[in-house]
Amino acid sequence: MNWFGKFLTSSIGRKFVMGLTGIALVLFLIVHCGINALIFVNDGGVLFNEAAHFMGTNIIIRTMEIGLFVGILLHIVQAYMLAVANSKARPGKYQVNSANANSRWYSRSMTLLGTLILLFLIIHLKHFWVVSRFTGLEETSYGAGNLYIEMQEVFAIGWVVIVYLIGVISLAWHLLHGFQSAFQTFGWNTLKYRGLIKCAGKVYAILIPLLFALMPVAMYFEWIK
Amino acid sequence: MNFKLRIWRQADSKSNGKLVEYSISDVNPDMSFLEMMDVLNDRLVKEGQEPVAFDHDCREGICGMCSMYINGRAHGPMKLSTTCQLYMRNFEDGETITIEPFRSAAFPVIKDLSVDRTAFDRIIAAGGYVGVSTGQAQDANAIPIEKHHADMAMDAAACIGCGACVAACKNSSAMLFVSAKVSHLALLPQGQAERKTRVLNMVEQMDEEGFGSCTNTYACEAECPKGISVTNIARLNREYIKASFSGD
């Protein structure tokens, strides 16, 4: 096997792929959240629809979208493969294990949290991505898809809002561990930067999911129209 | 003091083990955990029963031989302590104490609480040493090294290779151990000659031994009797990535 194959199949290389795709998704979420937050302008979705139209039609963005799906798939497949391998590394389980005494529950539950996010993602893609790319949206006055109205319709349903809240809460816990974990895997978690990475990770893991959570809630209660 | 002990008994690596209950009374609070086990074993021998097999050697907290997973913690409930430095006064009178071996596919049980940790020896043999000829021992002051680096290398070198990190990790990862050994030599001038091959070979051996991968829960750091920091794992990752991508 050549050096690159050796690296990618080593335990550290596989974690490196997890970290790299994870940080790519972290960057994607900033863009996703930023654009969606335009609904809070409360202009009936005019600005938001324009931004969504740009994202859906710009050739560079559409090309990046392919990269995003590849990244998500790599992150998911690698995660489950690692989880299986890690489970095999301890075939006999402890009869008594005080794991809470030495680590945080969410750092030990990344597979579970990731699975919840995956289930949410399937529902989420069906609600918005499939509709805007394939089955078609209602049109705005200038002929673009009206994603805003689609959001209002989807978030008028109570159980959908609850599913979205479970999704973003899982995301928050996942990020609380994942953000700083990626930097540890890259080897950047040195004494000098440890504080900064931890702090940035906490701010990110709370702020982004909070903004995402506000979107369905604000639409359900019609705080924005 | 009196205790109810639930001890993992397993005849050999192929048998199935189970927890067996024993009562022990009149335990001196100032006995070490291993001394309490000695008292129990004396009694078991006198009663014609098989004594409990467990690893131990220096009983001073520096050899890394003692192990045991006590009440769900590697080396028991005390921070920065090996099992031999754990005292019965650290437990409540009348407490039930569950004692299991360090569990990992890479650490097969030999008997009862004794596990085979030679996987660590094979990782060391893969590169955890200075292999180039260094000649006679020279005046220590002839090799310039910055104090900060000397201190970090010393902290990493404090690893006694007991395997508590593997035992505590939910994935049975050996990253803290390997990172301590790699860091120790990567930080010192003597380790520079083989810096890249060392980390590549040691990680390859670690993976071959069947340890899991690191998911950064940091349980290892919390349970390490020598307080080895997970910043060493960051260094190991850095060293491995750099060595893998290096053009030399």
Side-chain angles (χ1 to χ4, degrees), chain B residues 169-241:
Chain B
C169 174
K170 78 175 187 68
N171 309 323
S172 284
S173 169
M175 287 284 277
L176 193 67
F177 167 76
V178 177
S179 74
K181 300 304 171 191
V182 165
S183 291
H184 161 205
L185 292 172
L187 288 162
L188 294 175
Q190 293 91 334
Q192 300 312 306
E194 297 149 304
R195 188 167 174 172
K196 285 178 192 166
T197 48
R198 174 179 302 113
V199 68
L200 293 174
N201 293 341
M202 288 179 80
V203 169
E204 190 177 350
Q205 189 63 39
M206 172 183 84
D207 290 347
E208 262 178 41
E209 295 292 343
F211 293 104
S213 63
C214 175
T215 47
N216 305 323
T217 68
Y218 305 150
C220 52
E221 181 185 78
E223 298 294 5
C224 175
K226 296 296 155 188
I228 303 293
S229 163
V230 291
T231 53
N232 289 301
I233 296 183
R235 185 178 295 103
L236 170 63
N237 289 331
R238 210 158 57 233
E239 292 284 323
Y240 186 76
I241 294 164

Side-chain angles (χ1 to χ4, degrees), chain B:
Chain B
M1 299 176 87
N2 303 317
F3 298 101
K4 191 165 97 180
L5 306 173
R6 294 166 73 225
I7 302 177
W8 187 262
R9 303 302 310 258
Q10 185 171 336
D12 52 51
S13 58
K14 291 183 180 69
S15 318
N16 288 325
K18 65 171 196 287
L19 286 171
V20 177
E21 280 194 16
Y22 300 92
S23 290
I24 187 161
S25 48
D26 299 327
V27 173
N28 186 323
D30 295 329
M31 269 182 188
S32 77
F33 201 84
L34 296 187
E35 284 164 342
M36 183 275 295
M37 293 296 291
D38 290 337
V39 171
L40 174 74
N41 274 347
D42 274 350
R43 195 187 84 199
L44 292 179
V45 170
K46 276 179 198 156
E47 290 170 355
Q49 295 185 56
E50 186 77 11
V52 181
F54 63 91
D55 286 317
H56 61 102
D57 192 7
C58 76
R59 300 201 176 201
E60 292 176 332
I62 55 166
C63 77
M65 263 320 279
C66 60
S67 52
M68 298 195 199
Y69 211 71
I70 303 162
N71 282 349
R73 309 275 303 271
H75 293 296
M78 282 277 289
K79 270 208 163 291
L80 300 171
S81 165
T82 52
T83 300
C84 65
Q85 296 294 296
L86 177 68
Y87 293 89
M88 298 318 294
R89 58 178 177 265
N90 299 128
F91 295 88
E92 299 286 327
D93 189 24
E95 194 175 334
T96 300
I97 305 173
T98 306
I99 312 165
E100 296 176 72
F102 281 0
R103 294 191 191 277
S104 164
F107 288 170
V109 171
I110 298 169
K111 189 179 181 184
D112 299 333
L113 305 172
S114 177
V115 295
D116 180 356
R117 284 169 283 178
T118 49
F120 272 11
D121 298 341
R122 290 188 290 276
I123 293 172
I124 293 293
Y129 54 87
V130 174
V132 291
S133 178
T134 54
Q136 292 285 318
Q138 52 184 313
D139 185 330
N141 294 325
I143 306 169
I145 173 163
E146 194 219 354
K147 173 84 167 75
H148 178 58
H149 282 113
D151 286 348
M152 285 196 295
M154 187 64 212
D155 287 345
C159 168
I160 54 175
C162 65
C165 45
V166 174
C169 174
K170 78 175 187 68
N171 309 323
S172 284
S173 169
M175 287 284 277
L176 193 67
F177 167 76
V178 177
S179 74
K181 300 304 171 191
V182 165
S183 291
H184 161 205
L185 292 172
L187 288 162
L188 294 175
Q190 293 91 334
Q192 300 312 306
E194 297 149 304
R195 188 167 174 172
K196 285 178 192 166
T197 48
R198 174 179 302 113
V199 68
L200 293 174
N201 293 341
M202 288 179 80
V203 169
E204 190 177 350
Q205 189 63 39
M206 172 183 84
D207 290 347
E208 262 178 41
E209 295 292 343
F211 293 104
S213 63
C214 175
T215 47
N216 305 323
T217 68
Y218 305 150
C220 52
E221 181 185 78
E223 298 294 5
C224 175
K226 296 296 155 188
I228 303 293
S229 163
V230 291
T231 53
N232 289 301
I233 296 183
R235 185 178 295 103
L236 170 63
N237 289 331
R238 210 158 57 233
E239 292 284 323
Y240 186 76
I241 294 164
K242 270 199 287 191
S244 291
F245 284 84
S246 160
D248 296 344

Side-chain angles (χ1 to χ4, degrees), chain A residues 3-4 6-7 9-13 15-16 82 85-99 101-104 107-111 177 180-191 194, chain B residues 6 8 19 69 71-73 98 100-105 166-172 175 203-204 206-207 210-219 222-223 229-231 233-234 236-238 240-241 244-245:
Chain A
W3 68 270
F4 194 58
K6 233 177 180 177
F7 174 76
T9 51
S10 70
S11 57
I12 295 177
K15 287 292 301 178
F16 186 79
L82 280 168
N86 288 340
S87 173
K88 279 186 189 155
R90 175 164 299 133
K93 306 294 172 208
Y94 289 112
Q95 308 283 310
V96 178
N97 195 14
S98 312
N102 56 38
S103 52
R104 308 263 188 195
S107 74
R108 302 190 305 271
S109 313
M110 291 298 274
T111 315
H177 177 72
Q180 59 84 27
S181 180
F183 288 96
Q184 169 79 356
T185 301
F186 299 154
W188 296 345
N189 208 4
T190 58
L191 284 176
R194 186 149 70 168
Chain B
R6 294 166 73 225
W8 187 262
L19 286 171
Y69 211 71
N71 282 349
R73 309 275 303 271
T98 306
E100 296 176 72
F102 281 0
R103 294 191 191 277
S104 164
V166 174
C169 174
K170 78 175 187 68
N171 309 323
S172 284
M175 287 284 277
V203 169
E204 190 177 350
M206 172 183 84
D207 290 347
F211 293 104
S213 63
C214 175
T215 47
N216 305 323
T217 68
Y218 305 150
E223 298 294 5
S229 163
V230 291
T231 53
I233 296 183
L236 170 63
N237 289 331
R238 210 158 57 233
Y240 186 76
I241 294 164
S244 291
F245 284 84

Side-chain angles (χ1 to χ4, degrees), chain A residues 39-137:
Chain A
I39 63 168
F40 296 119
V41 174
N42 211 0
D43 59 352
V46 176
L47 193 58
F48 169 73
N49 274 336
E50 276 178 24
H53 181 64
F54 169 77
M55 296 301 280
T57 50
N58 185 286
I59 185 73
I60 298 169
I61 304 289
R62 292 301 300 271
T63 312
M64 286 172 78
E65 190 180 63
I66 299 168
L68 174 69
F69 274 102
V70 172
I72 291 175
L73 272 177
L74 265 176
H75 196 76
I76 294 167
V77 172
Q78 187 84 284
Y80 284 118
M81 280 167 64
L82 280 168
V84 170
N86 288 340
S87 173
K88 279 186 189 155
R90 175 164 299 133
K93 306 294 172 208
Y94 289 112
Q95 308 283 310
V96 178
N97 195 14
S98 312
N100 284 330
N102 56 38
S103 52
R104 308 263 188 195
W105 71 268
Y106 52 86
S107 74
R108 302 190 305 271
S109 313
M110 291 298 274
T111 315
L112 172 69
L113 291 168
T115 303
L116 288 174
I117 295 168
L118 175 61
L119 294 174
F120 161 75
L121 191 65
I122 293 166
I123 297 168
H124 179 54
L125 286 176
K126 188 182 165 294
H127 277 152
F128 298 110
W129 187 77
V130 172
V131 176
S132 58
R133 295 284 185 276
F134 301 107
T135 51
L137 295 161

